[in-house]
Amino acid sequence: MVGILNYGGIDSAEYSSYKHAKIAVLPVPYDGTSTWVKGADGGPNAILEASANMELYDIETGTEVFTKGIATLKAVTENQSPEAMTEAVEAQIDKILKDNKFPVVLGGEHSVSIGVFRSLAKHFNDFSILQLDAHSDMRDSYEGSANNHACVMARAKEVATIVQVGIRSSAAEEQEHIDPNRVFYSHTIRETPNWMYAVSEKLRDNVYITIDLDVFDPAYMPSTGTPEPDGLNYREVINLLKLVNERHNIIGLDVVELCPNEKNKAPDFLASKLIYQLLSMRFNNE
Ligand SMILES: [Mn+2]
């Protein structure tokens, strides 16, 4: 492995220095509040490593988005508490947004998104948060912290309109917090023609995307801490993101909860390619 691992394995300063980059990748290898399988702290490095083995030409757009500049920042390693980690992430995203760059956060567990939401709320008057996830994550607090991974979307709802897609696991106590008009359950979407347009109809112009990799079916994405059956496939997720990108202004994204498995690198590759394909769409014609 080379010294500094840049997303995409880009080694030229022209395409990876922060100054010239349109895209800033922030690794946050935090795994402090996971409840079952630990290991999401290895997620960012696994994504970066896989990305270094990916073709940097995107077939669907016919582009090489790395030429827009993708800077990979030093990881946020604050892990004293969920609150301290959240503040550290918020400060980094503040800087990225102030510098007019597009943030891409690599988790770590899902609580890493909370600091991003807070920062976005200072920079955008009006935006939506689109969550792709198996879990509703709407508990108001969990295990003594409001910044637990189980509370991510409760925090999102405080600063933005939210839309939840792929949900298939939720607790009774969460139901009073869930707006059924803003949830696209995994068991209903395939029976709903044009469900992707219905998702888009609920979103504002500016959209932040938070992707918990357990939104995918475990057949494609076994490397997560809390896998759930009946998930989405890769093409469904890409097509949804494509439609959202066509109809909205995507303002950033995070990809969280990769819990890498040394013996199976395919899920790591899925995560790194997902990010690259989304960036290719987002920066096509820009
Ligand atoms: Mn989840």
Side-chain angles (χ1 to χ4, degrees):
M1 200 187 295
V2 287
I4 291 181
L5 210 45
N6 288 320
Y7 182 78
I10 303 161
D11 49 16
S12 87
E14 186 186 359
Y15 298 131
S16 65
S17 74
Y18 182 76
K19 195 174 169 204
H20 300 296
K22 285 196 171 179
I23 298 153
V25 175
L26 181 67
V28 190
Y30 180 76
D31 192 20
T33 72
S34 289
T35 31
W36 194 18
V37 182
K38 293 276 181 188
D41 53 344
N45 269 344
I47 293 173
L48 293 172
E49 201 186 314
S51 75
N53 293 291
M54 167 178 78
E55 295 290 3
L56 297 180
Y57 172 76
D58 177 69
I59 293 174
E60 288 184 50
T61 56
T63 62
E64 292 182 305
V65 67
F66 77 92
T67 60
K68 309 289 179 184
I70 304 177
T72 305
L73 307 185
K74 208 166 147 287
V76 172
T77 52
E78 173 61 59
N79 63 0
Q80 287 307 301
S81 65
E83 288 68 31
M85 179 277 297
T86 296
E87 278 174 30
V89 171
E90 182 181 351
Q92 285 299 305
I93 301 297
D94 281 348
K95 178 170 163 46
I96 291 168
L97 294 176
K98 191 159 58 66
D99 293 339
N100 220 4
K101 301 182 192 300
F102 181 91
V104 178
V105 173
L106 311 180
E109 52 160 78
H110 210 159
S111 53
V112 306
S113 310
I114 296 171
V116 189
F117 301 160
R118 284 198 203 158
S119 178
L120 290 167
K122 288 182 280 184
H123 288 79
F124 295 92
N125 289 327
D126 187 22
F127 70 107
S128 294
I129 296 172
L130 172 60
Q131 173 205 19
L132 278 62
D133 201 325
H135 309 90
S136 44
D137 292 343
M138 286 288 261
R139 286 178 165 92
D140 195 47
S141 92
Y142 195 63
E143 294 187 338
S145 173
N147 294 325
N148 188 287
H149 68 97
C151 315
V152 177
M153 294 314 291
R155 299 292 81 76
K157 210 173 78 165
E158 290 167 351
V159 298
T161 56
I162 66 166
V163 177
Q164 307 184 276
V165 172
I167 310 302
R168 52 202 190 273
S169 171
S170 194
E173 68 187 84
E174 294 178 75
Q175 302 316 304
E176 61 177 305
H177 304 294
I178 291 175
D179 178 351
N181 290 314
R182 308 198 76 81
V183 187
F184 292 80
Y185 290 106
S186 191
H187 73 276
T188 61
I189 52 180
R190 290 187 191 91
E191 293 159 8
T192 314
N194 299 322
W195 68 270
M196 294 181 186
Y197 286 90
V199 170
S200 166
E201 292 301 316
K202 308 260 180 207
L203 295 168
R204 313 293 296 175
D205 284 344
N206 292 323
V207 178
Y208 179 79
I209 300 176
T210 180
I211 302 176
D212 183 329
L213 289 166
D214 62 34
V215 72
F216 290 101
D217 193 88
Y220 309 100
M221 178 44 72
S223 299
T224 69
T226 44
E228 284 282 340
D230 196 25
L232 276 63
N233 68 38
Y234 190 77
R235 184 45 47 185
E236 288 171 320
V237 169
I238 287 290
N239 284 348
L240 172 63
L241 296 176
K242 198 181 277 183
L243 185 78
V244 169
N245 181 60
E246 279 164 12
R247 296 167 53 119
H248 303 268
N249 175 40
I250 299 177
I251 57 175
L253 79 139
D254 63 61
V255 173
V256 301
E257 298 283 358
L258 180 68
C259 195
N261 174 344
E262 200 47 49
K263 296 256 160 57
N264 182 6
K265 303 283 193 188
D268 309 356
F269 197 83
L270 183 157
S272 56
K273 181 134 186 171
L274 174 69
I275 294 165
Y276 200 75
Q277 283 201 267
L278 181 49
L279 291 175
S280 302
M281 297 173 204
R282 171 63 180 75
F283 286 91
N284 193 7
N285 306 321
E286 187 166 300

